[in-house]
Amino acid sequence: MSKLSLIQAVNQALYHEMDRDPDMILLGEDIGLDGGVFRATDGLIQKFGEDRVVDTPLSESGIVGTAIGLAAYGLRPVAEIQFMGFLYGAMEQLISHAARIRSRSRGRYTCPLVVRTPYGGGIHAPELHSESTEAFFIHTPGLKVVVPSTPAEAKGLLLSAIRDPDPVIFLEPSKIYRAIKEEVPDGEHLIPLGEARVVAEGEDVSLITWGAMLHPSLEAAGKMAEKGVRAEVIDLRTLSPMDTGTIIQSVKKTGRAVIIHEAARTCGLGAEIAAVICEKALLSLEAPVLRVTGYDTPVPLPKTEKYYFPDCDQIIEAVEEVVQF
Amino acid sequence: MPKKTLQEFSVESIQILDENGKIDTTLLSQTDQISEKTLKSFYESMVLIRAIDEKALNLQRTGRMGTYASIQGQEAIQVGCAAALQPSDWCFPAFRATGLSVLRGTPIKVIYQYWSGDERGSEMQDGQHDFPISIPVGTHIPHAVGAAWGAKYKKDPIAVLTTFGDGATSKGDFHEGMNFAGVFKLPVVFVCQNNQWAISVPFSRQTAAKTIAQKAIAYGFEGIQVDGNDVLGIYTVTKNALEKARRGEGPTLIECLTYRLNDHTTADDASRYRTEEEVAIWQKKDPVLRLKTLIEKEYEWSESVDEALHAEVDRRVAEAVDAFEAIEPLNPLGMFDMLFETLSPELHDQRKKFTQRLGKLNKEESK
Ligand SMILES: Cc1ncc(C[n+]2csc(CCOP(=O)(O)OP(=O)(O)O)c2C)c(N)n1
Ligand SMILES: [Mg+2]
């Protein structure tokens, strides 16, 4: 065990797997000597060399497109896209190819590719550096989407993502890259994809969230506990495929659900979760399912970005609303 | 005839003002002579935009501004392009364009406002036909091509200029934009500020070709390389390319070979990936010093005149900082109000709830 930040845990996971699997290679912009703009790949080029830690030309479509070919050829490429907002240039490769290679080739070829990218806002960065558009990828059949919420989670989920036989978009909440440190197991540490985590148990309301939003959700749960409201907090971890079983089990118990995400409201994953609850747990509900989300606008630039992201007070308000309904 | 050569090509590189401040008169006399007044105004512009840049770095360091991308070393390109452009021309800059923007009419305080994370910093002045700077690298290049297409369609006698870095030439958007420009013979000038680095990635990782300029040949039009620290070369070549575009003779790619003297941005540490020796070599090729040497030699430009210029520039920049710091706070409701011409009922509802929340937050803050 060592106490690590989320970015250090990502670095450790990459190191561990590069060491274990000679077919794994990293590609992306500034991941070599610079160690990545957030330092996720710090020290890796020194250890594994230029052929395995590859600074590419500045081309997201090129990075993801060639990674698909590398993966189909039998390698384990892990691509870094510098910010989620720059993944948009690779949408065609992801949607039209990564997600379809297996089905198009009737299983002859697969695409065991991981695309890692910093995601979400709150770091006072320029335009398009604060995106949380996970729904685009969740909406694409054939892609898996994973979001860690703590350092240990990041290591365990990233190792599983790299070993997964299918393409995984791995979204790293940049706001908490360095905000929290926790004990992370050394060596092998695998957290299976597709399983949510109940972070706090409770009887009165289910808070369903992921990534950086787990933290204000836990804070809200703590404050509600002082008022006698026991909130269950679920960290989804894998957004696609989603662990609906854990959600439904929880909502059947609590009868109330509040979904918290940083992404824009309309057609965010919250909408899908609410639909699943309606389909599978309608008769257990004692209040409408509420969402606490970002607005249906671009994330503002740093001066006013703080207004965009859901905060603890908004979560508390929603919890009070469903409890008092 | 089983085998024949279909095309051969060569790429020219131009330098009018060399590192020692000496002018190549044969090159200059081919085109219009540049007057004493123009030369001095180039120098004044370069001193101004460097001072603006220095101040921006200072504002960032002292916590009054956010992440900033310095233009130092690249002033000649921005002054040369701005001088070659007409006010009626359109301009699509990348993000390393402080000098170009100011010379096109953006007030200095608005530059600082943008980099402090305030959306109003992207507003253009009336009559300034520029796009806000583009953050996703290279993606604005097709927009310039589209605007040029529009001008051709409407028979407007204008040209469009777009700037971008060497890294941008690896993006599909660059190639797609160039291809459209060639196919439709559009009045657009592509200016690559090849500063040889894309954050930590060296030029050799962007292309196996010797130059960026030669890429134009594959798209069926002219490409040329210019010493990117030579304002006279850049001005002359860009002016010719813009005139050619306005005459309906199609696009040009201009590669300005230069060097980024500072870190990529204030969030970067270039010592991780490049040597001080390399930076020192390029410091000697400084575009501002070079022009100063020339005007000192050719005209009466004494130290005292130079000091007076610096004093005047510093005064202007200080005034701009005061104006910047006096800007009233940004109303966060702008995130809704600038999105569509009319808000949908759903957005209207979100805006209303946000207004209530804002009221509460403001009350808490003032407590
Ligand atoms: C599409 C895209 N990918 C990555 C980035 C992150 N990024 C910002 S600037 C930059 C390097 C740009 O290099 P270049 O085009 O040479 O311009 P320069 O910074 O040298 O002016 C990178 C990778 C981005 N802004 N947009
Ligand atoms: Mg560059």
Side-chain angles (χ1 to χ4, degrees):
Chain A
M1 289 280 216
S2 24
K3 217 168 170 143
L4 302 179
S5 65
L6 201 153
I7 193 77
Q8 288 169 325
V10 167
N11 183 267
Q12 197 183 78
L14 294 173
Y15 189 104
H16 177 82
E17 199 61 8
M18 291 284 281
D19 208 28
R20 200 190 67 91
D21 181 358
D23 284 338
M24 175 171 156
I25 76 163
L26 302 177
L27 67 165
E29 296 158 13
D30 305 291
I31 66 168
L33 278 184
D34 199 32
V37 294
F38 286 101
R39 308 286 178 253
T41 54
D42 198 18
L44 297 182
I45 195 169
Q46 288 82 356
K47 167 78 182 167
F48 300 106
E50 294 198 332
D51 292 342
R52 297 187 63 200
V53 182
V54 186
D55 272 332
T56 65
L58 201 168
S59 165
E60 285 71 17
S61 179
I63 292 168
V64 175
T66 56
I68 291 170
L70 285 161
Y73 197 78
L75 274 77
R76 287 277 163 165
V78 176
E80 174 174 303
I81 297 296
Q82 211 155 73
F83 283 90
M84 188 179 201
F86 308 138
L87 193 47
Y88 303 157
M91 286 306 240
E92 182 161 47
Q93 290 299 336
L94 282 173
I95 296 172
S96 308
H97 299 295
R100 289 171 171 259
I101 293 290
R102 180 188 289 277
S103 58
R104 181 184 300 143
S105 70
R106 311 289 300 156
R108 170 72 61 189
Y109 295 107
T110 59
C111 189
L113 153 73
V114 174
V115 176
R116 298 178 35 249
T117 189
Y119 131 101
I123 55 165
H124 306 295
E127 194 188 359
L128 284 158
H129 290 64
S130 307
E131 303 290 287
S132 47
T133 41
E134 61 269 31
F136 294 162
F137 305 100
I138 300 165
H139 193 64
T140 302
L143 297 180
K144 297 186 178 182
V145 182
V146 176
V147 183
S149 59
T150 75
E153 290 282 307
K155 179 171 177 186
L157 290 167
L158 182 53
L159 284 181
S160 296
I162 298 170
R163 293 188 200 172
D164 197 90
D166 287 299
V168 180
I169 312 296
F170 194 83
L171 304 173
E172 300 167 2
S174 48
K175 185 178 162 64
I176 54 169
Y177 261 153
R178 294 193 167 77
I180 340 160
K181 280 201 171 188
E182 72 175 1
E183 295 293 342
V184 177
D186 298 327
E188 283 281 295
H189 172 51
L190 292 165
I191 297 174
L193 303 191
E195 288 181 17
R197 173 172 76 117
V198 178
V199 185
E201 290 191 28
E203 318 292 321
D204 301 323
V205 55
S206 304
L207 304 186
I208 303 156
T209 190
W210 55 92
M213 285 296 125
L214 174 66
H215 303 281
S217 303
L218 284 172
E219 190 189 339
K223 288 192 176 159
M224 289 311 291
E226 290 165 20
K227 299 183 188 173
V229 176
R230 296 156 304 166
E232 180 144 300
V233 182
I234 297 174
D235 174 8
L236 277 187
R237 307 203 280 201
T238 302
L239 308 188
S240 179
M242 185 165 69
D243 179 2
T244 52
T246 298
I247 297 172
I248 296 306
Q249 202 184 356
S250 174
V251 175
K252 281 190 170 160
K253 176 174 72 174
T254 62
R256 300 174 186 91
V258 175
I259 303 148
I260 302 106
H261 63 64
E262 160 175 348
R265 186 177 190 80
T266 299
C267 284
L269 182 58
E272 176 65 22
I273 296 170
V276 169
I277 294 172
C278 288
E279 283 165 0
K280 300 200 171 146
L282 184 68
L283 297 181
S284 309
L285 285 179
E286 298 190 39
V289 177
L290 292 189
R291 289 173 288 168
V292 181
T293 67
Y295 300 101
D296 287 342
T297 72
V299 180
L301 296 183
K303 278 268 187 234
T304 52
E305 68 173 2
K306 66 175 179 196
Y307 297 111
Y308 187 86
F309 311 111
D311 61 23
C312 179
D313 285 347
Q314 284 171 288
I315 301 169
I316 289 176
E317 256 170 50
V319 170
E320 283 174 340
E321 194 177 329
V322 295
V323 169
Q324 287 158 15
F325 184 78
Chain B
M1 196 177 49
K3 187 173 164 188
K4 58 181 177 177
T5 301
L6 290 180
Q7 197 163 22
E8 280 176 313
F9 72 89
S10 58
V11 186
E12 281 184 344
S13 169
I14 296 220
Q15 183 191 55
I16 295 180
L17 178 64
D18 76 8
E19 290 164 51
N20 306 316
K22 275 235 293 285
I23 284 191
D24 186 318
T25 43
T26 53
L27 277 175
L28 196 60
S29 58
Q30 278 173 17
T31 60
D32 18 1
Q33 283 294 322
I34 299 175
S35 70
E36 173 180 348
K37 196 166 145 239
T38 307
L39 276 178
K40 285 184 177 169
S41 80
F42 286 174
Y43 178 66
E44 286 160 7
S45 294
M46 282 211 244
V47 169
L48 173 68
I49 64 178
R50 179 157 295 183
I52 294 168
D53 194 83
E54 283 289 355
K55 183 54 81 179
L57 294 169
N58 172 274
L59 290 171
Q60 191 279 335
R61 270 196 299 273
T62 51
R64 292 180 283 170
M65 216 182 71
T67 305
Y68 174 70
S70 166
I71 60 161
Q72 283 179 44
Q74 304 182 208
E75 289 90 346
I77 304 170
Q78 308 202 8
V79 169
C81 286
L85 281 161
Q86 298 288 330
S88 52
D89 292 333
W90 283 51
C91 186
F92 291 73
F95 53 87
R96 200 178 298 287
T98 292
L100 183 57
S101 301
V102 168
L103 299 170
R104 289 283 289 170
T106 303
I108 303 167
K109 71 164 186 182
V110 176
I111 301 282
Y112 297 150
Q113 195 175 7
Y114 176 80
W115 292 100
S116 72
D118 181 329
E119 277 81 359
R120 292 170 297 180
S122 285
E123 285 171 14
M124 292 303 143
Q125 305 298 297
D126 290 336
Q128 184 185 2
H129 303 297
D130 297 354
F131 247 43
I133 63 174
S134 166
I135 291 294
V137 167
T139 51
H140 60 297
I141 297 171
H143 310 161
V145 176
W149 190 351
K152 182 173 179 177
Y153 179 86
K154 291 196 165 188
K155 301 196 168 55
D156 290 334
I158 64 133
V160 179
L161 182 143
T162 176
T163 69
F164 46 88
D166 42 313
T169 66
S170 295
K171 289 283 288 187
D173 308 77
F174 164 73
H175 297 274
E176 292 167 35
M178 294 265 288
N179 193 38
F180 270 60
V183 166
F184 296 112
K185 210 172 181 196
L186 299 174
V188 55
V189 176
F190 302 92
V191 176
C192 179
Q193 303 195 58
N194 179 1
N195 62 12
Q196 305 181 64
W197 289 94
I199 310 187
S200 72
V201 181
F203 180 61
S204 59
R205 269 293 155 96
Q206 302 301 345
T207 180
K210 195 163 164 57
T211 69
I212 297 289
Q214 72 201 60
K215 296 190 185 249
I217 290 155
Y219 297 107
F221 57 90
E222 184 194 354
I224 183 166
Q225 192 187 71
V226 192
D227 178 344
N229 291 8
D230 161 16
V231 68
L232 305 189
I234 293 157
Y235 170 70
T236 310
V237 168
T238 309
K239 193 158 164 281
N240 290 341
L242 287 165
E243 278 164 8
K244 170 179 131 189
R246 290 189 207 102
R247 285 196 305 270
E249 291 169 24
T252 310
L253 169 63
I254 303 172
E255 174 189 9
C256 304
L257 189 66
T258 182
Y259 193 80
R260 192 192 81 213
L261 288 176
N262 277 327
D263 293 337
H264 167 71
T265 65
T266 49
D268 175 49
D269 172 9
S271 70
R272 289 175 71 88
Y273 52 79
R274 67 181 193 185
T275 63
E276 273 174 33
E277 291 77 54
E278 184 183 294
V279 181
I281 291 172
W282 282 90
Q283 245 142 9
K284 292 206 194 94
K285 304 186 188 195
D286 189 314
V288 188
L289 288 182
R290 189 183 295 200
L291 189 56
K292 187 179 174 203
T293 310
L294 173 75
I295 57 174
E296 275 172 350
K297 228 170 19 195
E298 298 289 321
Y299 311 108
E300 270 145 46
W301 190 267
S302 63
E303 258 328 291
S304 69
V305 177
D306 203 60
E307 275 164 24
L309 169 65
H310 276 92
E312 168 58 14
V313 159
D314 289 347
R315 192 196 55 75
R316 268 184 75 184
V317 173
E319 208 175 82
V321 171
D322 288 344
F324 160 63
E325 296 196 313
I327 291 171
E328 73 285 7
L330 175 64
N331 184 346
L333 283 167
M335 74 170 141
F336 297 99
D337 297 342
M338 289 294 157
L339 196 55
F340 289 110
E341 186 156 326
T342 46
L343 281 189
S344 66
E346 167 63 24
L347 268 172
H348 191 77
D349 189 46
Q350 289 187 19
R351 187 186 189 279
K352 207 166 117 196
K353 290 197 179 115
F354 176 70
T355 312
Q356 288 160 0
R357 182 176 161 225
L358 195 58
K360 263 207 294 198
L361 287 172
N362 288 343
K363 228 189 264 162
E364 273 164 34
E365 238 168 59
S366 63
K367 256 192 237 158

